[in-house]
Amino acid sequence: MRAGPSQEEVRRHNLGTLLRYVHVHGATSRAELTNRLGLNRSTIGALTAELISAGLVSEAVPKETGRAGRPSLVVRPESDRVFAYALSIEVDRLRAARVGLGGQILEQYETERPPGMSADEAVEPLARFVRAMHDQLPDDTRCVGSGLAVAGMVRREDGMVRLAPTIGWVEEPVGAALRAELGDPGTLSIGNHADVCALAEHARGAAVGCDNVIYLYGDVGVGAGIVAGGRRVTGHGGYGGEVGHMVVNPYGRPCECGSRGCWETEIGEHALLRLSGRADKTGRDAVLEVVDAAVRGDSQAQHALRHVGDWIGFGVGNLVNIFNPEVVIFGGTLRDVYLVSAAQIRSRLNSVGLPACREHVRLRTPELGADAALIGAAELAFEHLLDDPLVS
Amino acid sequence: MRAGPSQEEVRRHNLGTLLRYVHVHGATSRAELTNRLGLNRSTIGALTAELISAGLVSEAVPKETGRAGRPSLVVRPESDRVFAYALSIEVDRLRAARVGLGGQILEQYETERPPGMSADEAVEPLARFVRAMHDQLPDDTRCVGSGLAVAGMVRREDGMVRLAPTIGWVEEPVGAALRAELGDPGTLSIGNHADVCALAEHARGAAVGCDNVIYLYGDVGVGAGIVAGGRRVTGHGGYGGEVGHMVVNPYGRPCECGSRGCWETEIGEHALLRLSGRADKTGRDAVLEVVDAAVRGDSQAQHALRHVGDWIGFGVGNLVNIFNPEVVIFGGTLRDVYLVSAAQIRSRLNSVGLPACREHVRLRTPELGADAALIGAAELAFEHLLDDPLVS
């Protein structure tokens, strides 16, 4: 339990609140900031001045507003100068980017991640990308830290990847390895892929303004990033959201985790491809092929999508009863399945979900696409700055 | 988004923090408060003086400490004078109590709730209990509000009971009815039974100090109160935690909710009693009879408990994968089943739960017993006071 803040802490909190506002909403007039933040004009002026001198925002006269009177100055984040490195380790690729304050991706690099690539091998190209970006930074830029998203279960404390079945890793100290390689560029924060995607869609995508959100991500595996009451649900060690291993079918197929009938055995890529007669294929292109075939009338593909859509609705119904969310977002290849199976999914959801729990729930596709992982990883890194903008 | 607090808000926040500390921890010396709250001695002195003059705490010289030097004054909540009314509508009974600041039940009343009793009929005796307590209040007491726990799905906004299958209610405006009956005694806050039990066990029971908690409550129905990252997970409308309607067996029995194979069809009282050959019985005594019979070697009772224990472990495994909690608490008749089936439950939990998600999870029985609903309902009512102790 902690007592209230001092005056100095209040000032820093207000600086963070103002900076977070323009980070999330983009360029905002002083008049609107005064209005939104409930602070008076002189306080907004003083806070803005301080953030300008810290190099975090800039201020300018807006373009012609068409209104009479002196226009209110517009405050915008220094997106070109203040940035985070955002990294992502995914099933089939490694990505690195610079993301500016305000959430814009400034530049990005990508390479394949061949099956069997170890954690050390994966960290090396990521660090190389960061060094390449670092060596060519424009003058007068500032890195506030780095964020890494990993498609696996990540220990919050130190970034140890406990289990990443789709990548093939068990107990890999990715956080330590990457910190050792990066050395210089500030604090490194690590999170689960679906968690950071949820963060990104919540801040600037399909779940803006929603306090109760389930972001589902599927490829070979299925995971969720969950926001409840406006906050991420990550659990005691950081491993929450493993909805792909909610057992939905006790008489179902063995799962790679050692259990049986996990949700991902019914709705993951392998299930869809197997049921559609493509057990030898894998990856998003193969999923899209099934979707295309179904649309063209291929009955086996249609059957596969009906099966998967039904089980998606089933599991979403369970999650809706547990979380009573406002919005469920379908990411990864679940997006592609959702687009052709929405009616099926909604129907099954309606049969499993209690009316009060499901009555206001909206089903959505992501707005940020594959950028979500990078934008979300950057959000992890920006968190420190937004909590206390004057932290060095 | 909201800016930082003013000086006055900081002071009120500190008052709330100090009051909350002694509310949760009981009598505490000034020296320990200084230490725990991170405020200096003079601030603690000033805050205490203010809370004393508001009649919320008292201060006294402690009994002989055995140490040299002047002993630090002890601050304690005015538990006899400041109280909330706590009400609970359960499957078979109605309860009302006065709960003092600090969480002690000062007096309580209880009556049966016969099957078929309507919401209006249930509200009447509760209001009568409150009036009876109100008429005999000792001098100089202060009611800070009322809290009601209902074994059903309660709309957060207005206390409308949307669905309470075990009570037999659909769309009953319990909040409005009780407010109309009570009239006088302050703000009424309403919550779900399992949610408020979780609140109570989190504040002063089996989950003290744990930020990620699942409190399961079972009788005929099964529900959960969930705490994630230190905060209750109640969802968009207040209906979260309906884990009893997580479908665990898609080929299972029809549930009263209209779905099939819901968790409560496998682990609720009806399942246990049916499997043990007591389909004609109901209630906690009947459950205890099954437990006793199993302990005495009755093979049908043992079979029933194995079945139910297995499905309890199964569902808890799912929830552990989703929430990665530190502790799972078994309340209601699930407590009785847990006590004789702990090994079975843990074994199945271990087969369903991912190692990282379950490695630190402790399984526990409640510490507050049936008092949890009343203590938790009072916590709902105290919330306003603790947020701002000077609110009138």
Side-chain angles (χ1 to χ4, degrees), chain A residues 21-44:
Chain A
Y21 194 91
V22 297
H23 171 64
V24 171
H25 297 87
T28 308
S29 71
R30 280 200 192 188
E32 188 175 340
L33 289 170
T34 303
N35 192 14
R36 297 282 177 174
L37 306 188
L39 295 166
N40 63 40
R41 284 174 57 188
S42 65
T43 304
I44 292 290

Side-chain angles (χ1 to χ4, degrees), chain A residues 317-341:
Chain A
N318 277 355
L319 295 176
V320 160
N321 287 343
I322 295 170
F323 288 103
N324 180 209
E326 296 161 82
V327 60
V328 178
I329 303 170
F330 296 92
T333 52
L334 291 178
R335 174 186 177 279
D336 307 308
V337 175
Y338 170 73
L339 288 173
V340 289
S341 308

Side-chain angles (χ1 to χ4, degrees), chain A residues 165-245:
Chain A
T166 59
I167 296 184
W169 292 350
V170 178
E171 303 288 341
E172 291 280 359
V174 175
L178 191 56
R179 278 188 193 94
E181 281 280 346
L182 288 179
D184 196 32
T187 317
L188 174 66
S189 306
I190 307 189
N192 167 270
H193 178 87
D195 277 351
V196 309
C197 289
L199 203 56
E201 294 287 344
H202 182 237
R204 42 186 101 251
V208 166
C210 296
D211 274 348
N212 296 279
V213 181
I214 296 175
Y215 175 95
L216 293 174
Y217 185 87
D219 46 37
V220 176
V222 172
I226 296 166
V227 174
R231 298 185 161 209
R232 277 194 303 155
V233 172
T234 56
H236 180 54
Y239 312 120
E242 287 295 333
V243 300
H245 298 282

Side-chain angles (χ1 to χ4, degrees), chain B residues 71-119:
Chain B
S72 177
L73 291 168
V74 166
V75 181
R76 67 184 75 235
E78 282 279 19
S79 303
D80 295 335
R81 293 172 50 192
V82 181
F83 71 92
Y85 289 116
L87 312 171
S88 179
I89 297 177
E90 300 167 28
V91 173
D92 54 0
R93 61 182 173 171
L94 304 168
R95 293 193 287 162
R98 272 201 315 129
V99 178
L101 188 64
Q104 294 85 347
I105 295 179
L106 302 172
E107 54 177 325
Q108 65 172 303
Y109 297 85
E110 171 172 342
T111 187
E112 285 189 6
R113 200 196 71 84
M117 187 184 237
S118 74

Side-chain angles (χ1 to χ4, degrees), chain A residues 231-297:
Chain A
R231 298 185 161 209
R232 277 194 303 155
V233 172
T234 56
H236 180 54
Y239 312 120
E242 287 295 333
V243 300
H245 298 282
M246 165 173 69
V247 178
V248 293
N249 187 356
Y251 312 105
R253 302 172 74 91
C255 179
E256 283 184 41
C257 76
S259 185
R260 176 180 287 276
C262 292
W263 198 19
E264 72 181 42
T265 66
E266 300 291 353
I267 71 167
E269 273 177 30
H270 287 335
L272 183 73
L273 294 170
R274 186 185 70 247
L275 290 165
S276 69
R278 292 166 176 82
D280 55 323
K281 298 196 174 176
T282 183
R284 180 157 198 180
D285 289 345
V287 170
L288 291 174
E289 204 181 294
V290 178
V291 170
D292 283 347
V295 171
R296 286 197 317 273

Side-chain angles (χ1 to χ4, degrees), chain A residues 347-364:
Chain A
S347 162
R348 184 65 156 181
L349 160 57
N350 285 352
S351 80
V352 168
L354 296 164
C357 290
R358 67 172 153 81
E359 66 192 352
H360 295 301
V361 70
R362 287 169 289 147
L363 307 184
R364 288 281 180 275

